[in-house]
Amino acid sequence: MPKRVFIKTMGCQMNVNDSDLMARALASAGYETIPTPKGADLILVNTCAIREKAEQKVYSFLGRLAALKAKNPGLLIAVAGCVAQNQGDAVFSRAPHVDLVLGTHETARLPELVRELSHGRRKITATRFNTLIPETPFPPAPGAPRKVSAFVTIMQGCDNFCAYCVVPYVRGREMSRTPEAVLGEARGLVSSGVREIVLLGQNVNSYGKKEGLPSFSRLLEKVAEIPGLLRLRFTTSHPKDLSPELVRAFAAIDKLCPHIHLPVQSGSDRVLKRMKRGTTRAEYIEKAAALREARPGIAITSDFIAGFPGETEEDFDLTLSLIETVGFDSVFAFQYSDRPVAPSSRFPDKVPEKEKARRLNRLLELAGNISRAKNEALVGVVEPVLVEGRGARDTGQWTGRGPTNRVVNFDAKDAPPEDLTGRIVTVRVEKGLPHSLWGQVVPGGSEGTFRREESHAA
Ligand code: 5AD
Ligand code: SF4
């Protein structure tokens, strides 16, 4: 009987992708992935350390596993990801029932270390940083659900050391995979039925710079040439490194979707400087305008931190005014949170919790109103939707994403009654909701490849 693993993934897309790679590695060692912890021989918790709350969630989840371990002492518990990398052995003192602490650069060793644990070795910590991104020799796990969209890691780590951020300490220095490795993986995914590739990295704009590899834009061109690929996306970009060449790529590469996630964090130059972002409000506004000129209708989304140490009411007003000026399609915002390894945890001028919360709410309210208005303005527009599958609640409905990455749920009464998954269908938008669109399939509009002129102008 195969052994069973339950994988709990917390955090960003990088972790989602790492969990997938670990599931494959475990499958090759005879583990079947199951959807709940019940009956598992191994529980793998892939963790996030970006904010204090994320870390608290990890420990409260681990706490709940103590009872399972007490009932079944043979159960193995592994903690991977950013909390594992950041805390190493300290994880064992806060959660003594954990067996393995696996760092962000050691994921490929998971099957080997689990084997050692099943042979009686106790408490292993593996948190060395490597200098090479391990390639992934493991095929997709048998029986894994068919994917329409897949991630491909192109680089990992970050050299920017923004004052508040834990990432450089838990993901290490920037390292890029070769174009050959990226293309090989992308081609394999497309030939297995994947229609959309999302290139992943903490800072994709500096892809290959250190290693002297072809530029990120060149890589986008090469991936876009893969026959059968319908859409290409990437995340995350740093505004400081957004090059004119990349802006041009949005005009030149049809398959590259009109969406960019470009975290700005604050609208005040004084705060940006203290955050060590290496860019200014004016530069950001200029780059957003250049992107919109290169690709009319491009969706620009961003991240913000509310209540960074020393942020005054005036600084915060500048953030609100930047949100209005740029008109973001969607915004993620977070209350500033001290990360002990990051320098801003030692800044003396902290903003009180209550005030941070007030600013966050105000920011989210403004950004939410703008997103909703943009979604409402799309009513009547025909969106080419890459179908991801059936809707969650109602089996008569389908769900997918438009080019700008908006979720589009739709009815397909007038479409042929076959499985639309993995197809691009045209949907007329009937409702613009706060976080998604709703519409109806345009009869005869399914099939076909993604063409740029099909994307709307917002
Ligand atoms: N406190 C609050 N938010 C943070 N982020 C990163 N570090 C912190 C922190 N210490 C946010 C940034 C980043 C996103 C992934 O998380 O906005 O872009
Ligand atoms: Fe963190 Fe800054 Fe690197 Fe982004 S660019 S991962 S915020 S250090």
Side-chain angles (χ1 to χ4, degrees):
M1 181 156 135
K3 294 213 167 199
R4 287 178 289 194
V5 57
F6 169 68
I7 304 180
K8 168 84 177 170
T9 305
M10 300 168 162
C12 65
Q13 288 111 320
M14 194 65 91
N15 269 10
V16 172
N17 194 43
D18 287 349
S19 286
D20 194 37
L21 299 179
M22 288 190 281
R24 291 188 198 192
L26 287 168
S28 73
Y31 276 85
E32 175 198 341
T33 301
I34 55 170
T36 62
K38 210 170 148 241
D41 302 286
L42 168 66
I43 296 180
L44 170 65
V45 189
N46 196 4
T47 62
C48 172
I50 195 86
R51 288 169 291 274
E52 199 184 345
K53 244 193 207 154
E55 204 171 292
Q56 282 163 358
K57 259 198 211 157
V58 169
Y59 282 105
S60 88
F61 184 78
L62 288 176
R64 275 182 272 144
L65 298 182
L68 281 181
K69 178 93 173 183
K71 259 196 257 160
N72 171 14
L75 169 68
L76 295 177
I77 300 178
V79 177
C82 295
V83 170
Q85 185 66 49
N86 197 18
Q87 306 205 336
D89 286 342
V91 171
F92 296 130
S93 24
R94 281 181 73 178
H97 50 294
V98 168
D99 300 286
L100 169 64
V101 174
L102 188 72
T104 55
H105 287 205
E106 299 268 43
T107 48
R109 291 182 63 204
L110 179 60
E112 160 207 333
L113 297 174
V114 166
R115 202 172 312 119
E116 287 182 22
L117 286 168
S118 14
H119 291 158
R121 217 182 128 189
R122 309 271 308 141
K123 307 273 177 219
I124 306 179
T125 309
T127 51
R128 257 189 331 202
F129 275 134
N130 301 313
T131 48
L132 281 175
I133 295 191
E135 287 307 330
T136 46
F138 303 107
R146 187 189 152 194
K147 275 195 204 164
V148 173
S149 178
F151 296 123
V152 174
T153 297
I154 62 163
M155 54 95 64
Q156 64 167 314
C158 183
D159 291 353
N160 285 318
F161 289 93
C162 298
Y164 50 83
C165 189
V166 74
V167 167
Y169 307 92
V170 294
R171 288 276 172 180
R173 296 290 63 72
E174 281 178 13
M175 281 188 286
S176 296
R177 291 174 79 192
T178 62
E180 293 72 32
V182 171
L183 282 163
E185 188 176 342
R187 282 195 196 105
L189 286 164
V190 174
S191 62
S192 77
V194 163
R195 292 288 165 254
E196 174 182 271
I197 298 268
V198 185
L199 301 180
L200 274 188
Q202 252 88 36
N203 187 16
V204 292
N205 306 143
S206 54
Y207 169 80
K209 280 190 187 156
K210 253 185 181 169
E211 293 86 355
L213 295 169
S215 68
F216 178 54
S217 313
R218 187 77 196 108
L219 182 71
L220 287 171
E221 278 167 24
K222 299 299 287 176
V223 178
E225 280 165 13
I226 298 175
L229 179 73
L230 298 180
R231 289 183 172 179
L232 177 59
R233 303 182 184 276
F234 62 83
T235 196
T236 291
S237 321
H238 192 306
K240 160 175 79 65
D241 299 317
L242 180 78
S243 64
E245 194 192 357
L246 183 57
V247 173
R248 281 196 296 276
F250 274 105
I253 306 174
D254 281 6
K255 284 184 196 170
L256 182 60
C257 287
H259 169 228
I260 186 164
H261 186 61
L262 199 59
V264 60
Q265 316 297 358
S266 167
S268 154
D269 284 342
R270 207 181 65 84
V271 174
L272 289 172
K273 197 159 181 198
R274 298 189 81 215
M275 286 178 165
K276 281 188 57 204
R277 290 290 289 171
T279 180
T280 63
R281 173 191 176 95
E283 279 164 3
Y284 192 92
I285 294 173
E286 215 172 276
K287 287 184 175 176
L291 284 162
R292 287 191 168 132
E293 200 182 318
R295 191 72 174 270
I298 190 169
I300 303 179
T301 58
S302 200
D303 291 346
F304 286 89
I305 295 177
F308 184 74
E311 183 188 77
T312 62
E313 198 59 37
E314 205 183 343
D315 292 320
F316 180 63
D317 284 344
L318 284 164
T319 291
L320 296 180
S321 89
L322 181 72
I323 291 174
E324 273 178 316
T325 304
V326 176
F328 291 102
D329 293 77
S330 145
V331 152
F332 297 90
F334 314 95
Q335 237 170 270
Y336 169 76
S337 159
D338 271 342
R339 304 286 60 220
V341 285
S344 64
S345 64
R346 294 178 291 281
F347 287 8
D349 39 6
K350 299 282 161 60
V351 176
E353 285 299 311
K354 244 180 141 175
E355 180 57 18
K356 286 194 286 190
R358 188 193 67 80
R359 289 183 194 174
L360 178 67
N361 286 336
R362 175 87 185 80
L363 193 163
L364 287 173
E365 192 191 332
L366 174 68
N369 288 341
I370 295 172
S371 307
R372 193 169 348 101
K374 287 194 173 243
N375 285 357
E376 282 166 3
L378 291 172
V379 171
V381 165
V382 170
E383 287 265 296
V385 175
L386 178 59
V387 184
E388 287 169 8
R390 297 200 178 262
R393 268 168 285 169
D394 179 350
T395 47
Q397 286 186 5
W398 295 86
T399 186
R401 280 172 197 268
T404 57
N405 213 31
R406 285 176 169 86
V407 170
V408 184
N409 297 306
F410 61 97
D411 254 345
K413 286 199 287 283
D414 295 325
E418 70 238 45
D419 188 0
L420 299 174
T421 308
R423 305 249 306 257
I424 288 183
V425 300
T426 46
V427 174
R428 186 173 307 281
V429 178
E430 293 186 350
K431 268 190 232 161
L433 303 164
H435 304 291
S436 64
L437 304 174
W438 193 87
Q440 298 274 353
V441 154
V442 178
S446 62
E447 205 66 68
T449 54
F450 172 54
R451 293 194 310 273
R452 184 145 48 104
E453 55 275 23
E454 285 172 336
S455 77
H456 58 79

